[in-house]
Amino acid sequence: MGGVSAAADRAERVPKQDRSRATRQRLLEAAVACLAEHGWAGSTVLVVAERAGVSRGAAQHHFPTREDLFTAAVEYVAEERSTALRALFPEGAAAGDRRAVVAALVDLYTGPLFRAALHLWVAASNEEQLRPRVTELEARVGRETHRIAVDLLGADETRPGVRETVQGLLDMARGLGLANLLTDDAGRRERVVAQWAALLDGALD
């Protein structure tokens, strides 16, 4: 009987773990969406929990503090976007694909993730408890994005100036993302992407 009971406990525990993971993911996605739409001031744990369809108690079980919730949410989506970006070019990018790579990198900074991260950065500038978490997160995400860019562009960073060229591309992409917050900047963005792709072909080959 003891073996049957243990097996039943395991069978019950697996769905519970699955439900717990699903709840956590819903909370993370809802937090990013709220932050992108309402900013830090309008994104409370209660608002996020309601959007995710869970109780406030369940939300606080997974994320004891508001800072825990929002830093985890931005990190989660950043990792998802990094995975999606790599999947677009699973074999890396040949020289002829650089325009597509530049466009994909720019897209990282024009979606809800960037909006959410921006709200988090602004909040961190005024929230002492939040600042070290966001600073560490931004540094880690920045390093990962740089590594992805180097891989996809086939850049040799042992050559003088190549590292700075790749970082300049990412800084430019962030600037385009900021411009896109106020107005649809798609036309100018396409021209800038084409120019950067041409510059990279000259600098990296």
Side-chain angles (χ1 to χ4, degrees), residues 47-172:
V47 168
V48 172
E50 288 176 349
R51 184 173 186 132
V54 305
S55 68
R56 181 172 182 167
Q60 290 181 319
H61 169 74
H62 288 276
F63 304 102
T65 71
R66 188 185 185 200
E67 290 80 6
D68 289 332
L69 172 60
F70 285 106
T71 51
V74 175
E75 181 173 18
Y76 163 75
V77 180
E79 290 170 355
E80 290 291 299
R81 294 297 294 274
S82 294
T83 299
L85 184 60
R86 285 191 182 280
L88 288 175
F89 307 97
E91 304 301 324
D97 294 329
R98 282 195 178 125
R99 179 167 177 166
V101 173
V102 172
L105 290 167
V106 168
D107 284 346
L108 282 176
Y109 295 96
T110 56
L113 169 63
F114 181 73
R115 287 178 178 268
L118 183 61
H119 284 298
L120 202 59
W121 299 340
V122 172
S125 69
N126 297 312
E127 298 278 346
E128 289 292 339
Q129 286 184 305
L130 195 58
R131 188 180 304 150
R133 297 183 186 210
V134 175
T135 300
E136 188 275 335
L137 171 61
E138 171 61 14
R140 186 147 41 93
V141 171
R143 288 192 297 270
E144 174 63 10
T145 304
H146 189 97
R147 281 196 297 269
I148 290 172
V150 167
D151 290 346
L152 293 178
L153 292 167
D156 178 4
E157 290 197 303
T158 64
R159 292 171 53 192
V162 169
R163 178 175 180 79
E164 290 76 13
T165 298
V166 174
Q167 190 57 53
L169 165 63
L170 296 177
D171 290 342
M172 177 276 297

